[in-house]
Amino acid sequence: MEKVLVTGGAGFIGSHFVKRILRADDVAKVTVLDALTYAGHAENLGKAFLSPKLRFVHGNIIDVKLVDDLVQQHTAIVHFAAESHVDRSFFAASTFLSTNVLGTQTLADAAMRYGIKRFVHVSTDEVYGPLAEGAATEEAPVRPTVPYAASKAASDFVALSYFHTYDVPVCVTRSSNNYGPYQHPEKIIPLFVTRLFQGDNVAIHGQGQHVRNWLHVEDNCAGIELVLRGGVPGEVYNIGGGTDLTTVELTGNLLRMCGADWDSVVYVSDRRSNDIRYSMNWDKIATQLGYRPARVFEDGLAAAVEWYQRNPDRWAPLLRNPCAPIPRAEIAVAVEEAARVVH
Ligand code: NAD
């Protein structure tokens, strides 16, 4: 039976993954290690706390002793914890380097010492940098342009170096832009949706011609689970969705779904290093591990928009103060009592 340590499991993607992996019969125990930064909320795990398999540890991945203690109690690591917002990396690069690079090295070091059987390091298509045309395979050169992407690229290499040097069974996943419920409203889809619901304008950088690939968070988690179970150690797996959109095209969809029009849109000067286009080829995970994104973009986006509409308590406090705690009232008392938060 697998015992899985999930770092960053109180964040957007990590919390979806924890809920998914808890349902697996062959997983006996799931421990979340999360520092609960502004981006992490134990509440994202909601009823998962009712599972006797789940344990929550509030702590930092660069805490060597804590990481050592935890890693030796597990057979697998799925590593989501990171500073994840590009814009923040422009003014807090050292935090990105510390968490994303040193944090990954701390985990890989412990994985080496305690003979971890599987280690999935979760990364991003942004490490490949902008591509005017074509799509990056896993063999493509890594050319990050912003501190966030540079820190993720460095962390990918650190993780893989522990495979090459010490045989730690590391796999790296690189996914495109995720969307879905529970995402922090600093990211473009929840940012636009929540602003439109409040009657505010949304801002498009430059001409809005930047192209991103959109992947439902559940599809990413399905791909990560395939890699956890069947990935070949030392390999990188790209995980993409079926939909490439410019910012203008994405905005058009969101305006329609939120009942707003183009009067709500303002154009502002472009962000620095705003990569014009990311594109990945994900044939490898499809052919080798049977990955297929299951969500139709329009349906997945409409469901996500509806979730934000139904759950203003989840995001309104974060719009006023990005570090605000989310009110706990919506979580059943039973869930609260079941939460085993270890400090
Ligand atoms: P997120 O910002 O929502 O969550 C990050 C989580 O990590 C939070 O719960 C936070 O508290 C925790 N954390 C941060 N620093 C920590 C530390 N030092 N120790 C312990 N926990 C810490 O991020 P996300 O969007 O869920 O992304 C998860 C992973 O997926 C990241 O590695 C990110 O680079 C990668 N990724 C994200 C996307 C995307 O579209 N969101 C796309 C590709 C890859």
Side-chain angles (χ1 to χ4, degrees):
M1 291 289 262
E2 296 294 338
K3 298 174 187 165
V4 187
L5 177 63
V6 180
T7 72
F12 166 48
I13 307 173
S15 60
H16 283 272
F17 183 80
V18 167
K19 291 171 197 165
R20 176 185 188 89
I21 204 75
L22 279 170
R23 294 195 292 270
D25 289 339
D26 62 345
V27 170
K29 165 174 157 178
V30 176
T31 302
V32 170
L33 170 60
D34 198 297
L36 299 179
T37 66
Y38 79 95
H41 298 280
E43 293 80 358
N44 286 349
L45 290 162
K47 290 182 179 164
F49 278 118
L50 290 173
S51 169
K53 295 188 204 174
L54 181 67
R55 179 182 173 216
F56 187 94
V57 177
H58 181 198
N60 200 306
I61 55 167
I62 60 172
D63 180 337
V64 175
K65 184 172 180 314
L66 175 63
V67 167
D68 258 29
D69 285 351
L70 290 174
V71 167
Q72 58 190 292
Q73 301 169 36
H74 295 83
T75 54
I77 298 173
V78 186
H79 175 34
F80 293 92
E83 290 293 336
S84 69
H85 190 43
V86 173
D87 293 19
R88 287 178 188 262
S89 77
F90 295 133
F91 57 84
S94 62
T95 314
F96 280 67
L97 270 292
S98 167
T99 290
N100 299 1
V101 184
L102 290 180
T104 300
Q105 181 261 326
T106 304
L107 285 161
D109 233 21
M112 170 193 71
R113 274 195 292 281
Y114 299 107
I116 280 289
K117 302 274 185 296
R118 316 284 304 175
F119 187 133
V120 180
H121 171 68
V122 177
S123 190
T124 168
D125 63 352
E126 300 196 27
V127 301
Y128 295 118
L131 286 182
E133 55 189 27
T137 67
E138 291 80 355
E139 308 303 322
V142 166
R143 293 192 176 119
T145 60
V146 293
Y148 162 67
S151 71
K152 293 297 292 186
S155 69
D156 294 5
F157 288 134
V158 166
L160 288 168
S161 77
Y162 274 74
F163 166 74
H164 295 297
T165 313
Y166 307 110
D167 290 329
V168 176
V170 171
C171 290
V172 174
T173 66
R174 292 181 179 147
S175 84
S176 53
N177 279 26
N178 285 218
Y179 70 96
Y182 298 95
Q183 191 168 28
H184 195 287
E186 68 187 358
K187 306 282 170 49
I188 185 167
I189 288 179
L191 177 69
F192 277 23
V193 167
T194 57
R195 288 187 66 82
L196 292 171
F197 283 153
Q198 297 179 111
D200 292 334
N201 287 341
V202 296
I204 290 181
H205 289 121
Q207 299 303 307
Q209 294 308 308
H210 309 90
V211 176
R212 300 292 181 262
N213 178 264
W214 290 97
L215 170 66
H216 194 277
V217 61
E218 297 287 354
D219 284 328
N220 189 21
C221 290
I224 291 167
E225 184 176 356
L226 287 171
V227 173
L228 173 66
R229 293 180 179 283
V232 176
E235 293 293 315
V236 176
Y237 296 90
N238 291 343
I239 305 178
T243 306
D244 289 343
L245 293 175
T246 64
T247 310
V248 166
E249 290 167 336
L250 174 67
T251 304
N253 278 295
L254 295 175
L255 290 172
R256 180 168 43 78
M257 291 177 185
C258 294
D261 60 33
W262 287 95
D263 290 344
S264 302
V265 177
V266 293
Y267 285 84
V268 298
S269 57
D270 205 355
R271 200 189 71 187
R272 65 190 92 184
S273 282
N274 200 353
D275 290 343
I276 188 65
R277 176 175 173 271
Y278 297 130
S279 185
M280 277 186 319
N281 174 310
W282 40 273
D283 286 352
K284 180 175 171 180
I285 189 170
T287 53
Q288 295 185 10
L289 301 179
Y291 166 77
R292 292 276 178 285
R295 270 74 183 177
V296 175
F297 177 74
E298 286 265 317
D299 299 345
L301 189 64
V305 168
E306 195 189 325
W307 185 87
Y308 289 102
Q309 189 166 31
R310 277 193 283 107
N311 294 283
D313 283 0
R314 306 290 316 203
W315 49 263
L318 297 176
L319 291 183
R320 288 191 293 275
N321 168 10
C323 304
I326 292 172
R328 293 173 172 235
E330 89 235 38
I331 298 176
V333 173
V335 175
E336 286 287 278
E337 286 173 355
R340 286 164 291 284
V341 180
V342 179
H343 291 276

